[in-house]
């Protein structure tokens, strides 16, 4: 029988939405492998996040200790490994967020557990269940098997539905015995990109700009605000320092799957497309009729974004 | 304090190449595909060179793969790295195996710092640095970036984004994370993985390429290192994902609006 441990991520007691998808993935895996699921929440003051998970029917271990105040791989990974051993976990699951990608491989290494990144779904049943994951910027989907006794993977949150309500959840404490003096990593500061807009990976609508904006994101942002959308960007726009790093959509940035993705002044390089091809509807605005983005866009409009976006914004406003 | 830095250079398909799956799903079509150093590893090499230029020391570049990976080592040497280590292995690799091999290289070379890319653009695993840090029992700073933009003066002056502090015993690293940028201090020896905004890698100069030919590249067979080379992440089958069908061109905003509002009903 399998035992699946889901690592949930929180900040200041708020459960991250991506972790809900991880719980769904954990439950699906447990069904396929005939096992049970539990969850682990770490962090100082993480209680409310643990309660939120328990309310969905999850059995949650909560590691709440001062040494876990700031997320650090070196501090969190031994606690995860200990909790996994205590739970007799055969599978570890986390969301492929920045934290998940930093933490899970290190915790897996402690357990000698082979690890797969960005899992999209499963194939097969039982112990030899296969994990489907993207490679080569999403040009390829691979079915991989992890051959170690304990196995681990991160999931792509956009590929799993929110978890159904379940019964029988609860929170129990998990003791943390880590000595802060043993740590060779020290948190210095976090510079938050403050925004009133929805989170990029969770937004219903995303408006993204690229090099075609020539550094002027005003029209991108104004349209996004008229739509209540999040703002994204291509690597070119981020590298130029026009917008925060955190806005990059693509193979090596964020993966989004909104209902509507509007790409303006973005050529549609495979590395960008890897991060947004899961959108339900894609709109491309580009002055080059040959731009590759038009090959994947549901609606393509050839023209100058500085002319088109304000017009579209007026339409949106008029319809309200 | 001079730093001895180990960097990694993986041979991967050129990101500009078109990747196609072989009809039987056993691998990708390699005919007509170009190979180069993983782009994140170029950033790792660049950062190591800047640290050396500022603090002195030595930059050793390692690659694990077939004889062909010697090309990527030469590329790093042409950029300015001092020496190479080619760990020959002909067969599938994964982060579990690569990190075990790199651990042996670290034990032989005894660097103060290992800099890897955050992600190989072929397997897209984003794990090897984390595994290596755990195997060594060293602190890790993944997704290293910097506060200054790639258009900044600091970048033009080729300043390292990684800062040495505490008498050269601590490295200050700015990391790209969700929702902003984070700064942490890691005590050396440590493992760092690079993100895109850490630097713009230099191109090799002609004299650099000439010099690289004479630099030492030590070769060792992976099988001689005493690590278990059996892959633990076994790729069973590859397939191409369903292609998104292109849609229609619209003439103007009025038509676009009609489509989004009336047809797709997303607005
Ligand atoms: C290792 C690696 C990882 C990468 N990861 C990512 C990633 O995660 N995300 C990502 O996005 N990229 C990534 N890239 C980069 C990617 O290959 C492309 O270089 C990048 O996406 C190009 O950005 P762009 O489309 O904004 O710029 P360009 O390709 O220069 O396109 C600009 C477009 O704007 C159009 N345009 C110009 N002016 C106007 C106007 N006034 N109105 C309308 N259209 C206009 C032009 O016709 C053109 O099509 C990666 C590359 C590598 C090597
Ligand atoms: N075969 C290899 N040879 C040298 N370095 C490697 C190899 N495989 C992975 N790496 C390093 O590990 C990083 C992360 O790779 P990955 O975990 O596969 O995404 C890469 O950017 C390289 O720096």
């Amino acid at each position: 029988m399998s035992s699946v441990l889901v690592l949930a991520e929180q900040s200041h007691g708020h459960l991250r939405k991506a972790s809900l998808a991880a719980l769904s993935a954990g439950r699906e895996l447990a069904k396929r492998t005939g096992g049970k699921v539990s969850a682990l929440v770490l962090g100082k003051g993480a209680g409310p996040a643990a309660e939120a998970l328990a309310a969905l029917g999850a059995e949650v271990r909560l590691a709440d200790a001062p040494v876990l105040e700031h997320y650090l791989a070196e501090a969190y990974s031994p606690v995860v490994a200990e909790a996994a051993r205590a739970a007799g976990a055969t599978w570890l699951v986390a969301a492929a967020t920045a934290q998940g990608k930093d933490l899970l491989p290190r915790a897996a290494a402690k357990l000698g557990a082979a690890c797969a990144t960005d899992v999209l779904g499963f194939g097969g049943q039982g112990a030899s269940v296969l994990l489907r994951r993207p490679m080569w910027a999403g040009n390829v989907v691979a079915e991989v098997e992890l051959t170690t006794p304990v196995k681990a993977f991160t999931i792509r949150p956009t590929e799993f539905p929110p978890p159904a309500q379940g019964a029988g959840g609860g929170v129990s404490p998990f003791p943390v015995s880590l000595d802060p003096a043993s740590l060779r990593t020290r948190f210095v500061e976090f510079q938050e990109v403050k925004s009133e807009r929805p989170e990029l990976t969770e937004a219903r609508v995303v408006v993204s700009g690229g090099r075609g904006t020539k550094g002027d994101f005003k029209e991108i942002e104004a349209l996004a605000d008229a739509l209540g959308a999040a703002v994204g960007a291509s690597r070119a726009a981020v590298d130029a320092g026009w917008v925060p790093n955190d806005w990059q959509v693509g193979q090596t940035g964020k993966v989004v799957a909104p209902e509507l993705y509007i790409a303006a002044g973005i050529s549609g390089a495979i590395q960008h497309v890897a991060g947004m091809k899961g959108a339900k509807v894609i709109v491309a605005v580009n002055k080059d009729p040959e731009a590759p983005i038009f090959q994947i866009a549901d609606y393509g409009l050839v023209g100058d974004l500085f002319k088109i976006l304000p017009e579209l914004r007026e339409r949106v406003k008029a319809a309200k | 304090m001079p730093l001895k830095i180990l960097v990694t250079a993986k041979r991967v398909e050129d990101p500009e190449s078109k990747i196609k799956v072989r009809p039987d799903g056993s691998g990708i079509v390699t005919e007509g595909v170009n190979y180069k150093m993983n782009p994140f590893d170029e950033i790792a090499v660049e950062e190591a060179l800047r640290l050396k230029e500022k603090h002195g020391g030595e930059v050793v570049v390692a690659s694990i793969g077939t004889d062909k990976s010697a090309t990527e080592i030469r590329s790093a040497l042409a950029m300015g790295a001092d020496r190479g280590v080619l760990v020959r292995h002909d067969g599938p690799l994964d982060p579990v195996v690569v990190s075990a091999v790199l651990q042996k290289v670290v034990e032989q070379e005894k660097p103060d710092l290992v800099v890897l890319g955050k992600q190989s653009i072929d397997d897209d695993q984003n794990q090897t640095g984390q595994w290596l840090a755990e195997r060594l029992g060293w602190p890790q700073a993944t997704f290293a970036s910097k506060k200054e933009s790639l258009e900044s003066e600091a970048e033009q002056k080729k300043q390292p984004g990684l800062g040495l502090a505490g008498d050269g015993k601590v490295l200050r690293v700015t990391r790209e994370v969700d929702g902003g940028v984070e700064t942490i201090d890691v005590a050396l020896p440590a493992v760092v993985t690079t993100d895109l905004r850490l630097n713009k890698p230099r191109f090799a100069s002609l004299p650099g390429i000439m010099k690289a030919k004479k630099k030492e590249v030590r070769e060792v067979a992976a099988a001689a290192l005493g690590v278990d080379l059996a892959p633990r992440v076994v790729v069973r089958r590859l397939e191409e994902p369903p292609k998104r069908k292109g849609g229609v061109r619209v003439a103007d905003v009025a038509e676009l609006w009609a489509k989004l509002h009336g047809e797709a009903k997303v607005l």
Side-chain angles (χ1 to χ4, degrees):
Chain A
M1 211 183 81
S2 72
S3 165
V4 181
L5 182 65
V6 175
L7 305 189
E9 185 176 334
Q10 61 89 39
S11 109
H12 306 292
H14 293 288
L15 186 65
R16 282 201 61 181
K17 238 187 178 168
S19 299
L20 295 177
L23 178 61
S24 296
R27 283 177 175 171
E28 190 185 334
L29 177 69
K31 213 182 283 165
R32 281 177 183 263
T33 54
K36 59 178 176 36
V37 186
S38 60
L40 175 66
V41 176
L42 301 94
K44 181 171 169 255
E51 294 295 344
L53 262 187
L56 292 164
E59 209 182 284
V60 186
R61 305 299 310 268
L62 169 65
D64 182 347
V67 65
L68 303 179
E69 178 177 2
H70 297 292
Y71 165 75
L72 294 170
E74 197 193 2
Y76 275 45
S77 55
V79 182
V80 171
E82 247 179 78
R85 284 197 193 96
T90 50
W91 289 90
L92 261 68
V93 184
T97 56
Q99 188 180 114
K101 287 181 178 177
D102 185 50
L103 172 61
L104 193 71
R106 183 150 194 168
K110 282 189 191 288
L111 298 162
C115 194
T117 303
D118 256 338
V119 165
L120 310 169
F122 308 105
Q125 307 278 338
S128 59
V129 70
L130 297 174
L131 308 175
R132 295 170 54 77
R133 60 174 303 268
M135 293 171 75
W136 286 280
N139 275 304
V140 175
V141 174
E143 282 194 334
V144 304
E145 183 181 347
L146 306 178
T147 63
T148 47
V150 180
K151 310 173 209 296
F153 59 92
T154 57
I155 56 114
R156 180 168 286 185
T158 53
E159 298 292 321
F160 293 88
Q165 190 78 37
V171 179
S172 58
F174 184 78
V176 177
S177 56
L178 189 69
D179 175 10
S182 70
L183 295 179
R184 307 181 73 239
T185 320
R186 194 175 67 85
F187 171 84
V188 178
E189 61 171 13
F190 178 53
Q191 273 186 354
E192 198 181 342
V193 181
K194 288 222 168 58
S195 169
E196 301 293 307
R197 300 197 181 99
E199 225 264 275
L200 184 54
T201 54
E202 295 166 9
R204 196 185 73 82
V205 180
V206 174
V207 184
S208 285
R211 205 195 308 270
T213 62
K214 306 208 167 50
D216 181 359
F217 259 62
K218 271 203 290 297
E219 290 304 336
I220 305 281
E221 298 194 39
L223 178 61
D225 290 340
L227 290 167
V231 181
S234 70
R235 176 186 173 183
V238 177
D239 276 8
W242 297 338
V243 296
N245 302 344
D246 181 57
W247 287 8
Q248 180 180 313
V249 171
Q251 177 193 16
T252 57
K254 295 241 161 78
V255 177
V256 301
E259 279 184 41
L260 173 62
Y261 187 90
I262 302 178
I266 293 178
S267 61
I270 184 76
Q271 292 86 3
H272 186 79
V273 171
M276 46 70 95
K277 67 179 175 187
K280 188 165 155 246
V281 173
I282 297 174
V283 170
V285 177
N286 195 304
K287 68 179 184 190
D288 173 9
E290 304 296 322
I293 189 85
F294 288 122
Q295 290 164 20
I296 59 145
D298 298 283
Y299 305 115
L301 182 45
V302 177
D304 183 355
L305 72 93
F306 291 102
K307 209 179 131 280
I308 291 167
L309 297 193
E311 265 185 56
L312 183 56
R313 191 177 72 229
E314 288 314 314
R315 287 269 165 180
V316 171
K317 281 191 178 152
K320 271 188 182 160
Chain B
M1 198 195 75
L3 278 177
K4 180 163 177 181
I5 306 170
L6 180 72
V7 287
T8 45
K10 184 182 185 183
R11 180 177 175 83
V12 299
E13 289 75 21
D14 186 318
E16 305 282 327
S17 294
K18 188 123 192 67
I19 303 295
K20 284 208 143 60
V21 176
R22 284 209 291 265
D24 66 357
S26 64
I28 59 161
V29 177
T30 51
E31 289 80 36
V33 172
N34 295 323
Y35 285 80
K36 60 168 286 187
M37 191 193 312
N38 187 40
F40 287 97
D41 299 359
E42 293 178 333
I43 297 173
V45 173
E46 175 66 35
E47 194 61 23
L49 293 174
R50 291 185 188 187
L51 284 167
K52 181 190 156 179
E53 282 153 14
K54 182 159 177 182
H55 305 287
E58 188 186 19
V59 176
V60 180
V61 54
S63 190
I64 302 148
T66 64
D67 290 341
K68 289 189 175 145
S69 295
T71 316
E72 281 58 51
I73 292 183
R74 291 287 166 203
S75 304
L77 297 177
M79 286 171 73
D82 298 296
R83 282 192 295 119
V85 180
L86 171 62
V87 183
R88 269 183 284 107
H89 181 63
D90 192 358
L93 287 166
D94 64 31
V96 181
V97 175
V98 172
S99 62
V101 168
L102 288 175
Q103 180 183 11
K104 293 289 173 188
V105 177
V106 168
E107 284 164 7
Q108 292 168 359
E109 294 287 341
K110 301 189 172 49
D112 304 298
L113 173 65
V114 186
V115 189
L116 308 89
K118 84 163 175 181
Q119 177 173 345
S120 315
I121 61 157
D122 51 358
D123 72 17
D124 281 333
Q125 281 277 42
N126 191 337
Q127 292 188 30
T128 304
Q130 296 86 314
W131 270 84
L132 178 63
E134 173 56 30
R135 287 185 186 279
L136 295 167
W138 291 3
Q140 74 190 42
T142 54
F143 323 149
S145 187
K146 67 175 167 210
K147 287 185 182 159
E148 301 85 7
S149 96
L150 291 178
E151 303 300 322
S152 67
E153 203 177 312
E155 174 61 27
Q156 246 110 66
K157 289 190 176 146
K158 302 211 173 294
Q159 289 293 314
L162 303 174
L164 264 190
D167 302 332
K169 293 193 174 66
V170 171
L171 197 66
R172 178 154 292 193
V173 187
T174 297
R175 307 178 57 233
E176 288 195 20
V177 298
D178 295 341
V181 288
E182 178 195 79
T183 303
I184 60 173
D185 281 346
V186 287
L188 294 178
V191 173
V192 168
T193 75
T194 58
D195 216 320
L196 295 170
R197 260 66 62 174
L198 183 57
N199 62 48
K200 279 194 206 165
R202 69 193 64 186
F203 295 106
S205 64
L206 200 56
I209 295 168
M210 299 311 289
K211 266 195 222 154
K213 292 186 176 152
K214 297 198 194 82
K215 289 177 179 171
E216 178 203 332
V217 177
R218 179 162 69 86
E219 290 195 22
V220 22
L225 292 175
V227 302
D228 183 353
L229 295 169
R232 322 296 207 286
V233 183
V234 181
V235 177
R236 293 291 177 209
R237 210 168 65 86
L238 300 182
E239 62 183 33
E240 285 179 17
K243 288 257 175 318
R244 246 196 114 99
K245 282 198 298 292
V248 295
R249 297 282 169 107
V250 292
D252 52 26
V253 168
E255 194 187 343
L256 177 61
W257 173 257
K259 295 280 188 197
L260 293 176
H261 190 65
E263 188 177 276
K265 298 196 190 323
V266 286
L267 286 185

